[in-house]
Amino acid sequence: MAFGDDLKETYDPKTEGSESDNPQFHYYYNHKERISNAPKIVQDYYNGTGLKVTKGLFKVLVSTKQNRIIFLMMVFCLAIVLILSTFHGRGNIGVLEGYEAELSSFVYDQKLYTSVKVHPVKRTRNSIESIKKKELKNVPENKINQKLEELKSSMGKNVSVTFEGVYDADVTQKIPGEVNGVVFDTTEFFRTNSTECDIIKVRALVKIGKEEMVLVSIVANKE
């Protein structure tokens, strides 16, 4: 309801009595004349031909050609960010074959210590737990550990990690020793150490199953 729509425009003594019996204040004007003298935007509003307001966030985003282009660009940029974060990790963290790998390195007592922590992400963990519950349902208690080892052997992912040290001026040197193992339903650590204390960054090539990724960690000083 617009302002003034509920105001009285005429006065009828036959139905309302004399004005002395009705001391209320009355407005006398012609509604159509008032609208005809109003700005065009007001006339369009009353005629129903005014600007139509698009309701709903999604409808607003695709209501015009320009809005649709902006919306598609936003979706495209979001997709790129998600892809980069998934396949390239966050520097020292990445996800491969449903497992998260995290590289850390530090110097302590003139020795460089480096490790890669690998554990299943939530979805992988839930899937494994569901399978374990089903497979261990009728297994005798004294056979549970054996059954778990069988599941780990058949469902676990092979892990291989090689390390490389980075000095100033981006000079690199391989840190001896390739670390291998298997990851299944628990957290596993793949570690190495070196006496090369001048290394400022460590790169680790992590392979889990059929996927691989390079992680990079700044060496922290624990001394």
Side-chain angles (χ1 to χ4, degrees):
M1 180 182 292
F3 178 77
D5 286 355
D6 60 341
L7 298 179
K8 302 182 67 173
E9 302 181 14
T10 59
Y11 176 78
D12 187 358
K14 294 180 180 181
T15 59
E16 300 186 46
S18 64
E19 289 191 58
S20 59
D21 297 331
N22 294 273
Q24 57 182 325
F25 191 89
H26 297 282
Y27 292 87
Y28 298 91
Y29 61 87
N30 187 292
H31 186 267
K32 291 184 179 180
E33 183 180 353
R34 178 172 66 91
I35 296 302
S36 64
N37 294 325
K40 187 176 185 306
I41 188 172
V42 177
Q43 296 180 27
D44 291 343
Y45 172 78
Y46 279 96
N47 294 334
T49 58
L51 180 66
K52 302 296 183 181
V53 179
T54 304
K55 296 182 178 180
L57 177 61
F58 182 76
K59 290 183 178 180
V60 171
L61 292 173
V62 297
S63 60
T64 65
K65 182 178 180 180
Q66 184 178 9
N67 285 2
R68 287 193 290 271
I69 293 174
I70 294 175
F71 177 66
L72 290 175
M73 290 178 62
M74 291 171 58
V75 172
F76 181 71
C77 292
L78 179 60
I80 291 177
V81 171
L82 291 176
I83 291 172
L84 290 177
S85 63
T86 300
F87 292 98
H88 293 280
R90 298 193 300 276
N92 68 319
I93 300 177
V95 177
L96 306 88
E97 294 275 6
Y99 290 83
E100 182 179 274
E102 180 178 2
L103 170 66
S104 61
S105 56
F106 63 90
V107 170
Y108 178 74
D109 196 22
Q110 298 185 344
K111 201 168 186 179
L112 173 67
Y113 296 88
T114 303
S115 71
V116 174
K117 174 184 175 182
V118 180
H119 65 88
V121 299
K122 184 177 180 180
R123 183 173 59 182
T124 304
R125 189 186 303 278
N126 290 341
S127 176
I128 292 175
E129 290 301 321
S130 178
I131 294 173
K132 284 169 57 179
K133 184 177 180 180
K134 179 180 179 181
E135 294 292 328
L136 298 176
K137 186 176 181 180
N138 298 317
V139 177
E141 187 173 350
N142 61 340
K143 298 288 186 178
I144 289 180
N145 289 337
Q146 179 182 341
K147 185 63 177 179
L148 286 174
E149 288 298 321
E150 293 175 0
L151 289 174
K152 182 176 181 179
S153 177
S154 61
M155 296 178 58
K157 301 290 184 179
N158 292 321
V159 181
S160 173
V161 185
T162 55
F163 300 93
E164 181 182 68
V166 182
Y167 298 87
D168 270 331
D170 209 32
V171 176
T172 62
Q173 177 178 319
K174 185 177 180 180
I175 299 175
E178 179 177 335
V179 187
N180 300 285
V182 177
V183 66
F184 181 46
D185 60 336
T186 58
T187 300
E188 303 290 342
F189 290 88
F190 301 87
R191 300 183 173 97
T192 190
N193 58 72
S194 172
T195 56
E196 296 294 329
C197 300
D198 294 331
I199 291 174
I200 60 174
K201 288 191 298 186
V202 172
R203 293 194 187 114
L205 175 61
V206 182
K207 298 180 181 179
I208 301 179
K210 297 180 180 181
E211 297 183 4
E212 64 179 51
M213 180 182 296
V214 175
L215 304 179
V216 181
S217 170
I218 304 296
V219 176
N221 195 330
K222 297 289 185 178
E223 295 180 313

